[in-house]
């Protein structure tokens, strides 16, 4: 696999490049397309999720899932996790507005349920990130490992709900205390979410005020507990299907 261009070039390509659809992913509830995107001398593969291909959900506002994909990328960067591939919102695209995310080369047969113990031990920051964004659907197959051994996270359309809805396969660290680094990342992120910051101005495009306030409250709760959350008994804690 050829090396990826630096982040700024990837974002330029995603934001400004010409999108050509190569095919459709046939699994999942919403329309999702594999594309190649060309801008100047750069060509990358990307995953395109048009708004009009989103299946309506009873507990999330209509036509908001693509924006939540972008919000997850912004939070991943702001928290210093950098797990979510570069993701942008394109107003003009082949099937209308939607999210466009860098496609990650990976082995789809290697996922959480057959990770090595060493790879599972690397998932603490992912568990923390999911608690912050209130991920309702962290399946085992949503954690990718690229040829350079980097872990990536995909599929964040059903995150950032105002009510507690964390559903994940990663409960390995439930109740364990945070490291000082994890707590520091949470504090830095909370500061970045303050009104008037660049991060906040970007998030305001994709999330409601109540959703941002709820995320800040979750961060405060995590800091007060100083430990990874535990599955609750009042709701399903694992998504279905789990892969």
């Amino acid at each position: 696999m050829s090396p990826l261009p630096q982040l700024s070039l990837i974002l330029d390509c995603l934001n400004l490049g010409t999108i050509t659809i190569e095919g459709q992913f046939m699994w999942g509830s919403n329309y999702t397309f594999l594309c190649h995107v060309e801008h100047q001398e750069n060509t990358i593969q990307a995953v395109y999720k048009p708004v009009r291909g989103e299946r309506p959900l009873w507990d999330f506002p209509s036509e908001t899932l693509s924006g939540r994909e972008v919000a997850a990328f912004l939070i991943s960067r702001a928290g210093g996790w950098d797990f979510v591939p570069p993701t942008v919102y394109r107003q003009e695209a082949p099937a209308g507005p939607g999210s466009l995310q860098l496609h990650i080369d990976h082995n789809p047969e290697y996922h959480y349920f057959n990770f090595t113990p060493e790879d599972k031990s690397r998932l603490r920051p992912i568990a923390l990130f999911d608690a912050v964004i209130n991920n309702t659907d962290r399946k085992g197959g949503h954690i990718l490992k690229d040829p350079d051994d980097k872990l990536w996270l995909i599929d964040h359309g059903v995150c950032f709900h105002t009510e507690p809805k964390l559903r994940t396969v990663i409960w390995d660290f439930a109740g364990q205390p945070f490291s000082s680094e994890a707590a520091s990342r949470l504090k830095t992120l909370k500061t970045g979410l303050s009104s008037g910051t660049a991060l906040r101005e970007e998030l305001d495009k994709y999330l409601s005020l109540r959703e941002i306030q709820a995320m800040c409250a979750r961060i405060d709760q995590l800091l007060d507990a100083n430990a990874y959350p535990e599955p609750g008994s009042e709701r399903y804690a694992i998504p279905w299907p789990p892969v």
Side-chain angles (χ1 to χ4, degrees):
M1 183 184 82
S2 59
L4 292 171
Q6 63 186 30
L7 178 61
S8 61
L9 293 179
I10 293 173
L11 290 174
D12 282 347
C13 196
L14 291 172
N15 276 308
L16 304 172
T18 300
I19 304 169
T20 303
I21 292 178
E22 297 180 349
Q24 181 179 352
F25 294 98
M26 299 311 295
W27 60 87
S29 303
N30 304 308
Y31 284 91
T32 304
F33 300 96
L34 179 65
C35 310
H36 72 262
V37 187
E38 297 180 70
H39 178 61
Q40 297 177 350
E41 71 276 11
N42 291 312
T43 300
I44 60 174
Q45 280 195 313
V47 176
Y48 167 47
K49 297 183 177 181
V51 169
R52 71 182 188 183
E54 296 176 2
R55 178 174 59 88
L57 299 171
W58 69 270
D59 53 347
F60 281 85
S62 298
E63 300 185 350
T64 66
L65 306 192
S66 292
R68 294 170 196 277
E69 296 275 4
V70 183
F73 166 64
L74 296 172
I75 293 298
S76 175
R77 287 200 69 203
W81 292 297
D82 291 318
F83 286 127
V84 179
T87 312
V88 305
Y89 192 90
R90 287 286 296 263
Q91 288 290 347
E92 296 183 4
S99 63
L100 192 65
Q101 182 177 86
L102 177 70
H103 178 262
I104 300 300
D105 185 24
H106 68 286
N107 175 8
E109 300 302 318
Y110 186 65
H111 50 71
Y112 170 84
F113 290 103
N114 54 33
F115 275 176
T116 64
E118 291 75 19
D119 280 339
K120 279 200 172 183
S121 71
R122 301 165 63 188
L123 302 182
R124 280 183 175 82
I126 294 175
L128 182 58
F129 171 69
D130 282 340
V132 168
I133 67 172
N134 199 17
N135 194 344
T136 75
D137 194 37
R138 174 62 70 210
K139 293 180 170 63
H142 293 173
I143 311 165
L144 317 182
K145 184 177 179 181
D146 74 12
D148 295 321
D149 199 41
K150 177 173 171 54
L151 297 179
W152 296 91
L153 307 177
I154 61 168
D155 286 345
H156 298 102
V158 285
C159 298
F160 301 104
H161 202 283
T162 56
E163 300 175 9
K165 286 180 177 284
L166 181 61
R167 287 193 293 270
T168 175
V169 297
I170 310 173
W171 292 108
D172 307 58
F173 317 108
Q176 295 183 15
F178 292 146
S179 66
S180 58
E181 179 186 359
S184 177
R185 288 185 188 275
L186 289 175
K187 293 174 184 176
T188 299
L189 178 58
K190 177 69 183 300
T191 300
L193 289 169
S194 301
S195 180
T197 64
L199 173 62
R200 180 62 177 270
E201 290 178 0
E202 280 296 301
L203 283 176
D204 284 341
K205 301 175 185 177
Y206 308 110
L207 301 177
S208 71
L209 175 60
R210 289 186 63 237
E211 288 167 340
I212 295 173
Q213 290 173 335
M215 177 164 48
C216 291
R218 287 193 297 274
I219 293 173
D220 286 339
Q221 292 165 1
L222 288 165
L223 286 169
D224 288 343
N226 194 40
Y228 290 90
E230 300 187 62
S233 58
E234 69 281 1
R235 63 183 186 277
Y236 292 112
I238 297 175
W240 184 262
V243 180

